[in-house]
Amino acid sequence: MTRKDNKKPPPPPPPSSIGGGGGGGTAMRVIVPLQGVVQGRGGLFLGSVIPCALYYLFQLYVKTRTRHRSSNSPPTSPHSNSTPSPSQNLPELSVLPRSLSRTHLTSPTASAFLSGRAASLATDSPHFAGLYKAAENPYHRVDNPEGVIHLALGDNKICVDLVEDWMEKNLSGAVLEERGDFWGIGITGISGFQPLDGVMELKVAVASFMSQAVDNSAFFNPSQMVLTSGVDPAIEILSFCLADYGNAFLVPTPHSPSFDGAAKWRTGVEIVPVPCRSADNFNLSIAALEQAFNQAKKRGQRIRGIIITNPSNPVGNLLSHETLCTLLDFAREKNIHIISNEIFAGSTYGNEEFVSMAEILEAEDHDRERVHIVYGLSDDICVPGYKTGVIYSYNKNVLAAARKLARLASVSAPTQQLLTSMLSDARFMQKFIEINRLRLQKMYQAFVEGLKQLGIECARSEGGFHCWADMSSLMRSYSEKAELELWDRLLNVAKINVTPGTSCHCIEPGWFGFCFALLTEKDIPVVVERIRSVSEATK
Amino acid sequence: MTRTRNPDSESESESKPSSSSSSSTGMKLIVPLQGVVQGRGGILLGSLIPCALFYFLQLYLKKRRRSNHNNHSSNPPSPSSSFPELPRTPSRSNLSSRGSITRARLSRLASTISDDDSAYYVGLNRASRDPYHKFSNPDGIIQLGLSDNTLSLDLIGDWMQKWGSGGGDDDLSINGIATYQAFDGVDELKLAMADFMRQVMGRSVHFDTSNMVLTAGATPAIEILSFCLADPGNAFLVPTPYYPGFDRDVRWRPGVDLIPVHCRSADNFNLSMTALEQAYAQARKRGVKVRGILVSNPSNPVGNMLTQDMLYNLIDFAEDKNIHLIVDEVFAGSRYGSEKFVSVAEILDSDSEYIDNRRIHIIYGLSKDLALAGFRVGVIYSFDRNVLAAARKLCRFSSISAPTQRLVTSMLSDKRFIQDYFETNRNRMRQVHDEFVDALSKLGIKCAKSSGGMFCWADMSGLIKPYSEKGELELWEKFMSIAKINITPGSACHCIEPGWFRICFTTMSLEEIPLVIERIRRVVEVCKSSS
């Protein structure tokens, strides 16, 4: 900043006081600093500007000094002051080029630097720790009856047999032989520059399936779609597109444990929880949203959007038409984005009707550019491991950016081919959706009934694969610590891997997520029996 | 805050009582707050009070700027932005603009990348809109800007067909897929991949599956490594000309910079250690933290190989500077020349006692060597346990889907097929390469000497008019519009000398060479006649 700039800010004195005489007593000269200089004309002005300028220069000096120091020692992040991350430096400011790499040289055994991002990934949340444990020793009714039953948030395997049948019928050798290019060999090649955001055929099939899944209450345009290798990359790409390092998203809790990684790890975006409570059956309240927003703002955090999950994960309740409209108003008022994660849209089984964000945008004149829908195929159509996610956005710039970022998470050709032919079989898919719903409903009821026998109540849910159960009665005290201790007992004593509420950032301790879509009905008594053993030990 | 907002009333009220007590009336008005100050401690208060006022003003301005920013961030200020005097809550001011369409902000990344296109990508898009076909679109653009290999696709197709009609069906069943699948690839595929890499990179090398992370393509593998090895604002040294995709993979999301180390035609674009040393020193002088060297071997686009000596030099250099060495070996199996390929893994294997292998990371993939670009299978091979642990977690964002893993596992396990494929592929590549280079030289276009990869790195500096990047892009435009051929200009690869072009020869068959040459001849003639 130059001097000129400094002249603007000084506190404007009353104009009436200017125009006084130039005389003064001698004692004054000593007392008021710079009086000699000032005494002439413009004394008032200079008399205040000069101390201010000196003070400003002093500030500047202090500032650069501290910055120097911080670029020598672990400096602050270049993007935001609110979240200092270790060892990033401001290259343009380190005037002294030594020091940085020297510090490494001084310690001869030091291995080459890893990024702060890599270092921060070292810890595991219980959710993932449980996954590894369950994967090591999986339960099997016959082969491994002592193994860990996997009930943590996860996939849907309830209709795997239907998919198997379909594949057997449609992908048998004879069919394949007729289409030599089935496995995507034809996708590449001299004429076909492979689109990294998914082939059009699959997009068309996905669009029609998505409308099918919401009972044709909304239509989806394949050209607004970007396909990614899973839901996590879809959310990650959206948070890369919508928020800068250090910005934040509002997320109602409890939320899926995978959000922490998808929205935060690499993007450097933060999650501001909006707590929902059991008293409201974990429904989102706009008052809580407003409060979280204002508090974040007060902290100096910049909120760039809301991520909602509908049907929610893990609770499984639906956002009503009214709530969605209020959310849209809220987003417009604050000028932020909405990411609507609708991965369970096709897996609703309750009486309430699911309303997709797309349906509302179709019917009403909201500004659509701030709404982005995320959808996933592997869960709703029961093909775990197929890892296909969808970004459906109304914002052209977001789509353009997401298409380019899709190169870093594109769906592999064989998967695209398989899904295209499966989803294009509309009759099969229709049947599939119906049966899937019926089975989910049946399993949900059976599972909730089983837990009830033990005195464990579940939150009411209308969709998804999870029971959100209140096990606080089994805890030794009402705290997060006791919850994790119970989780540990369930995993190691009862050999059941469930997801503790803390992994989902639930504000009330004692809630656990059970994924029932991985079980068969015969498994339910086993699970209930195992929980009973823990509950009896507690009593 | 209140003080700053109306200093007038304040100074008035404070100076009035003093005016009655003091004798020198003129001064009172001239030096602010003189009345207060005149007694003891005058010098202190006389400077402190303006400073304090100034400080509050700064604070006020800062706050104002911030809330202004929030309301209409980055968008052109809407008319309602004239800020009210009182610090009203920001949400209120938004309410007033309700109905007026303010667009929600996008991130800096999204806004920069949505219109960042080098000639490389522009060409790819244009060619994909009007692709050449022998019968249906003979006037279309011939795509020679990709790095695909279609020479031996028939072999892959045959294998698939056999697999599909044979025992393949069982392999597809989803029931066998575990509930929780490791994101970084199933063990069977890793085993098959380790075997395959040994076959490709030299039989003496042992690849350990526990050092392996599988990703959905080499592209995310590079990105994940960049995330793990460097923080935003750090940099990697990269010998130029380099693969245009690095800019996207390393720069975009990881925010890591690439510092070019220029190689020149006089050395056949071989890397020189002095240039490397110089680039490193210059970067340091600018205050940039260099975290690693990123090299491709065989190089893309030139196609030359790093010698064993050079690899040792690079390892020493990395050790000396305490930085990482990332070697991209995706073309390791696509060799046709006489130069010997040495994988850095081989050096580590033979010299493991002296080399700190934790700073060396290898990238591999099936897109090039097996021509399975659409399958998206890439490998990070690293010896650093922390890097592996972090990479495994980041794999969530680019994991290989289950059917692909199964398919690839059985393909790689078919040793006989792999062996046949490599032999055939190598012969065909050599044939097309030799023929094409020969035909180009008849047009007066020389290529850099190459032994691997899928490209001819051709010197067309004789055809460009101003010897500059501008002239190069003009020639590229001629290739697009007159010859209808998409090739990659050297500037997209950050080549320091203008006039070099990357031509992918593996997407044309032997029969197509005359057609391509004929089209190039058109451009050559246009250039010669105009000059």
Side-chain angles (χ1 to χ4, degrees):
Chain A
M1 272 217 200
T2 59
R3 226 26 198 314
K4 256 184 193 162
D5 294 325
N6 300 349
K7 277 180 190 160
K8 272 185 227 154
S16 60
S17 64
I18 309 179
T26 39
M28 275 306 290
R29 224 169 287 151
V30 190
I31 296 168
V32 180
L34 303 169
Q35 189 188 340
V37 185
V38 160
Q39 225 166 18
R41 276 149 295 142
L44 177 63
F45 181 66
L46 286 176
S48 46
V49 164
I50 292 175
C52 285
L54 287 172
Y55 179 58
Y56 180 73
L57 289 175
F58 174 71
Q59 280 186 323
L60 217 67
Y61 168 72
V62 171
K63 213 173 177 178
T64 43
R65 229 178 61 152
T66 47
R67 233 180 258 182
H68 265 294
R69 195 174 296 158
S70 66
S71 68
N72 290 350
S73 65
T76 53
S77 97
H79 301 290
S80 79
N81 298 323
S82 56
T83 55
S85 92
S87 59
Q88 294 170 343
N89 78 329
L90 299 159
E92 70 275 15
L93 285 172
S94 45
V95 181
L96 302 170
R98 55 188 157 88
S99 69
L100 301 182
S101 47
R102 286 282 163 79
T103 53
H104 283 299
L105 283 179
T106 50
S107 55
T109 51
S111 62
F113 173 92
L114 292 192
S115 73
R117 295 179 283 212
S120 67
L121 297 182
T123 50
D124 263 325
S125 81
H127 173 67
F128 288 98
L131 284 182
Y132 301 137
K133 180 122 193 182
E136 272 164 30
N137 180 18
Y139 168 82
H140 190 279
R141 214 173 317 147
V142 187
D143 300 340
N144 190 12
E146 296 299 309
V148 177
I149 301 181
H150 182 79
L151 291 167
L153 309 185
D155 311 313
N156 173 14
K157 289 189 106 181
I158 217 158
C159 285
V160 163
D161 55 329
L162 296 184
V163 179
E164 294 265 279
D165 283 351
W166 183 86
M167 289 202 172
E168 203 131 302
K169 241 181 266 163
N170 294 278
L171 300 180
S172 61
V175 180
L176 287 182
E177 237 164 299
E178 280 167 32
R179 297 145 61 187
D181 68 336
F182 182 82
W183 295 108
I185 300 298
I187 287 184
T188 60
I190 203 156
S191 57
F193 167 53
Q194 189 198 357
L196 291 167
D197 59 320
V199 292
M200 206 47 178
E201 292 81 25
L202 179 53
K203 286 186 185 174
V204 171
V206 168
S208 66
F209 172 70
M210 279 166 77
S211 344
Q212 231 176 349
V214 296
D215 294 329
N216 293 324
S217 58
F219 290 94
F220 296 88
N221 180 354
S223 62
Q224 284 168 237
M225 218 173 250
V226 174
L227 303 183
T228 60
S229 61
V231 174
D232 281 354
I235 290 174
E236 196 193 34
I237 286 175
L238 274 180
S239 44
F240 265 114
C241 289
L242 304 181
D244 285 316
Y245 195 96
N247 295 161
F249 284 124
L250 293 171
V251 185
T253 60
H255 64 71
S256 158
S258 64
F259 275 5
D260 285 323
K264 280 156 78 176
W265 277 353
R266 301 203 288 192
T267 57
V269 173
E270 280 158 61
I271 286 182
V272 174
V274 181
C276 303
R277 288 161 194 283
S278 55
D280 312 332
N281 194 41
F282 295 99
N283 279 316
L284 175 62
S285 91
I286 295 294
L289 198 66
E290 191 91 45
Q291 201 184 359
F293 183 86
N294 289 333
Q295 275 172 0
K297 198 130 205 200
K298 231 173 253 165
R299 283 194 303 267
Q301 250 170 339
R302 204 175 285 173
I303 303 284
R304 279 294 166 71
I306 318 169
I307 308 181
I308 51 169
T309 312
N310 183 24
S312 89
N313 180 10
V315 181
N317 46 12
L318 303 180
L319 291 174
S320 65
H321 190 283
E322 201 190 336
T323 313
L324 288 175
C325 287
T326 326
L327 272 171
L328 280 166
D329 284 341
F330 180 83
R332 189 197 317 221
E333 186 187 316
K334 313 291 188 202
N335 195 23
I336 56 178
H337 295 272
I338 294 183
I339 298 177
S340 179
N341 181 8
E342 303 185 353
I343 53 169
F344 297 140
S347 302
T348 52
Y349 46 78
N351 306 322
E352 269 179 71
E353 203 187 334
F354 168 76
V355 184
S356 166
M357 212 42 140
E359 188 183 333
I360 293 180
L361 292 181
E362 224 165 76
E364 281 161 54
D365 181 36
H366 284 278
D367 50 339
R368 306 170 174 194
E369 294 213 326
R370 62 178 86 252
V371 179
H372 319 277
I373 297 174
V374 171
Y375 188 64
L377 285 176
S378 57
D379 284 329
D380 263 359
I381 61 173
C382 220
V383 280
Y386 272 49
K387 312 248 168 71
T388 309
V390 182
I391 296 173
Y392 188 80
S393 172
Y394 296 85
N395 189 317
K396 258 191 245 150
N397 294 324
V398 168
L399 284 172
R403 251 176 221 136
K404 294 194 174 175
L405 292 176
R407 77 199 303 266
L408 299 155
S410 47
V411 189
S412 83
T415 308
Q416 295 200 36
Q417 294 284 339
L418 272 172
L419 287 175
T420 309
S421 41
M422 189 164 146
L423 292 177
S424 310
D425 191 342
R427 185 137 28 101
F428 167 73
M429 289 320 297
Q430 192 58 48
K431 198 181 92 193
F432 177 88
I433 292 172
E434 279 161 25
I435 296 178
N436 189 35
R437 280 189 180 151
L438 280 178
R439 288 191 188 170
L440 283 172
Q441 189 174 23
K442 218 165 131 197
M443 275 301 288
Y444 171 74
Q445 280 162 356
F447 199 85
V448 168
E449 203 53 49
L451 288 181
K452 213 174 232 170
Q453 292 166 17
L454 302 172
I456 297 170
E457 292 290 335
C458 294
R460 212 177 55 251
S461 72
E462 313 269 339
F465 315 133
H466 309 119
C467 275
W468 187 240
D470 179 10
M471 314 241 291
S472 50
S473 58
L474 302 185
M475 301 198 302
R476 295 201 168 111
S477 64
Y478 188 70
S479 68
E480 194 176 302
K481 201 174 142 232
E483 179 185 299
L484 286 177
E485 190 223 28
L486 176 60
W487 171 76
D488 193 64
R489 266 187 294 153
L490 285 170
L491 181 60
N492 291 310
V493 181
K495 304 238 170 180
I496 298 178
N497 179 33
V498 293
T499 302
T502 46
S503 287
C504 304
H505 304 271
C506 184
I507 196 172
E508 299 175 17
W511 291 83
F512 285 82
F514 291 81
C515 175
F516 57 80
L518 295 170
L519 298 176
T520 59
E521 265 179 278
K522 283 179 208 148
D523 294 328
I524 292 180
V526 183
V527 173
V528 170
E529 218 33 64
R530 289 190 179 190
I531 298 174
R532 191 193 302 279
S533 70
V534 169
S535 87
E536 268 159 16
T538 317
K539 279 161 194 162
Chain B
M1 284 302 289
T2 45
R3 267 190 138 177
T4 19
R5 236 173 283 116
N6 31 20
D8 23 351
S9 66
E10 185 187 22
S11 57
E12 248 165 22
S13 64
E14 280 177 42
S15 60
K16 258 175 196 158
S18 66
S19 74
S20 60
S21 64
S22 167
S23 56
S24 53
T25 39
M27 272 309 289
K28 242 170 280 160
L29 299 174
I30 297 166
V31 181
L33 304 170
Q34 188 190 338
V36 186
V37 160
Q38 223 165 21
R40 277 149 298 147
I43 193 156
L44 182 76
L45 286 176
S47 47
L48 208 63
I49 290 173
C51 283
L53 287 173
F54 181 58
Y55 178 73
F56 283 128
L57 183 84
Q58 281 185 321
L59 215 70
Y60 170 71
L61 285 176
K62 208 166 161 189
K63 206 159 187 187
R64 216 176 81 147
R65 203 179 314 138
R66 192 186 294 166
S67 52
N68 240 345
H69 218 69
N70 276 358
N71 293 345
H72 330 270
S73 21
S74 94
N75 286 325
S78 78
S80 65
S81 70
S82 61
F83 200 76
E85 231 182 5
L86 296 167
R88 272 195 210 142
T89 57
S91 58
R92 286 276 164 75
S93 66
N94 254 339
L95 271 182
S96 62
S97 68
R98 196 171 163 155
S100 79
I101 300 162
T102 41
R103 292 159 103 209
R105 226 198 87 122
L106 300 190
S107 70
R108 250 171 273 135
L109 176 78
S111 18
T112 49
I113 68 176
S114 50
D115 49 40
D116 145 56
D117 263 325
S118 74
Y120 174 63
Y121 293 101
V122 173
L124 291 187
N125 285 328
R126 259 167 75 178
S128 70
R129 256 177 268 134
D130 179 22
Y132 167 82
H133 190 276
K134 214 186 297 176
F135 305 115
S136 57
N137 191 13
D139 288 329
I141 298 177
I142 300 182
Q143 177 65 280
L144 300 175
L146 280 171
S147 57
D148 259 344
N149 181 356
T150 53
L151 294 179
S152 310
L153 267 188
D154 52 333
L155 300 185
I156 305 270
D158 286 348
W159 184 89
M160 295 274 185
Q161 216 153 358
K162 225 185 290 166
W163 183 81
S165 55
D169 302 278
D170 307 326
D171 271 337
L172 254 188
S173 79
I174 12 180
N175 229 349
I177 297 171
T179 316
Y180 169 71
Q181 236 196 323
F183 289 114
D184 61 316
V186 294
D187 285 339
E188 293 83 15
L189 180 53
K190 282 188 184 175
L191 272 173
M193 184 64 92
D195 256 9
F196 177 71
M197 283 169 75
R198 188 165 58 209
Q199 209 168 347
V200 168
M201 299 187 183
R203 300 198 163 267
S204 55
V205 195
H206 171 71
F207 287 95
D208 190 347
T209 52
S210 60
N211 289 344
M212 210 176 251
V213 173
L214 302 183
T215 59
T219 303
I222 294 168
E223 194 196 35
I224 286 174
L225 268 184
S226 310
F227 268 112
C228 292
L229 304 181
D231 282 311
N234 296 162
F236 291 148
L237 296 170
V238 191
T240 65
Y242 62 78
Y243 162 55
F246 281 165
D247 282 325
R248 298 186 161 197
D249 307 341
V250 179
R251 281 208 164 110
W252 275 359
R253 299 204 295 196
V256 177
D257 231 339
L258 294 175
I259 297 176
V261 181
H262 294 298
C263 304
R264 286 160 196 284
S265 56
D267 312 331
N268 193 41
F269 295 99
N270 281 315
L271 178 59
S272 93
M273 287 313 284
T274 41
L276 194 66
E277 198 80 53
Q278 200 184 355
Y280 181 81
Q282 273 172 2
R284 281 266 299 276
K285 215 172 270 166
R286 270 180 289 139
V288 178
K289 261 191 208 172
V290 175
R291 291 290 189 213
I293 317 167
L294 173 59
V295 292
S296 47
N297 181 30
S299 94
N300 175 1
V302 181
N304 48 8
M305 314 254 185
L306 294 174
T307 59
Q308 186 161 351
D309 287 347
M310 182 48 83
L311 281 171
Y312 272 112
N313 284 339
L314 282 173
I315 292 170
D316 288 345
F317 181 84
E319 214 141 283
D320 183 40
K321 313 293 185 201
N322 194 27
I323 56 178
H324 295 271
L325 173 62
I326 306 169
V327 188
D328 172 6
E329 301 189 345
V330 288
F331 291 104
S334 306
R335 315 191 289 266
Y336 48 82
S338 49
E339 271 180 273
K340 197 179 156 233
F341 168 77
V342 185
S343 166
V344 75
E346 198 178 323
I347 292 180
L348 293 182
D349 227 28
S350 56
D351 253 345
S352 50
E353 298 112 79
Y354 308 107
I355 298 173
D356 177 14
N357 56 15
R358 280 177 306 169
R359 65 180 76 248
I360 292 161
H361 317 276
I362 301 172
I363 286 169
Y364 189 62
L366 298 182
S367 310
K368 313 297 174 194
D369 283 353
L370 266 186
L372 294 178
F375 277 44
R376 317 299 307 153
V377 181
V379 185
I380 297 172
Y381 192 78
S382 169
F383 298 91
D384 187 312
R385 262 198 283 137
N386 295 321
V387 169
L388 287 170
R392 251 170 222 140
K393 293 200 173 171
L394 294 180
C395 269
R396 261 171 69 185
F397 306 113
S398 54
S399 49
I400 313 172
S401 71
T404 308
Q405 295 206 33
R406 279 161 181 261
L407 196 56
V408 172
T409 308
S410 32
M411 187 189 281
L412 294 184
S413 312
D414 189 344
K415 294 260 171 57
R416 168 98 59 81
F417 164 72
I418 298 291
Q419 186 80 35
D420 287 350
Y421 177 85
F422 271 102
E423 258 162 48
T424 318
N425 189 41
R426 190 166 301 187
N427 287 335
R428 291 184 187 174
M429 279 179 85
R430 186 177 297 141
Q431 236 179 334
V432 175
H433 174 261
D434 293 351
E435 185 108 340
F436 189 64
V437 168
D438 201 45
L440 279 180
S441 71
K442 279 181 191 147
L443 291 177
I445 297 169
K446 292 259 177 299
C447 294
K449 206 165 127 288
S450 67
S451 299
M454 300 169 172
F455 314 105
C456 288
W457 184 238
D459 178 10
M460 308 207 192
S461 52
L463 302 179
I464 62 176
K465 193 90 109 323
Y467 182 70
S468 67
E469 197 184 313
K470 194 172 153 256
E472 181 184 292
L473 287 176
E474 275 170 18
L475 180 61
W476 176 74
E477 189 51 51
K478 279 183 199 153
F479 270 107
M480 284 298 266
S481 50
I482 300 172
K484 298 237 172 187
I485 289 180
N486 178 39
I487 54 181
T488 311
S491 54
C493 303
H494 301 264
C495 185
I496 196 171
E497 299 177 18
W500 291 82
F501 284 83
R502 186 185 90 162
I503 307 172
C504 174
F505 63 84
T506 46
T507 44
M508 52 184 147
S509 58
L510 268 179
E511 300 82 66
E512 277 169 327
I513 292 179
L515 172 76
V516 172
I517 292 294
E518 197 40 52
R519 289 192 175 194
I520 295 176
R521 189 197 302 281
R522 270 189 247 164
V523 173
V524 173
E525 272 159 14
V526 168
C527 289
K528 292 237 167 98
S529 66
S530 69
S531 63

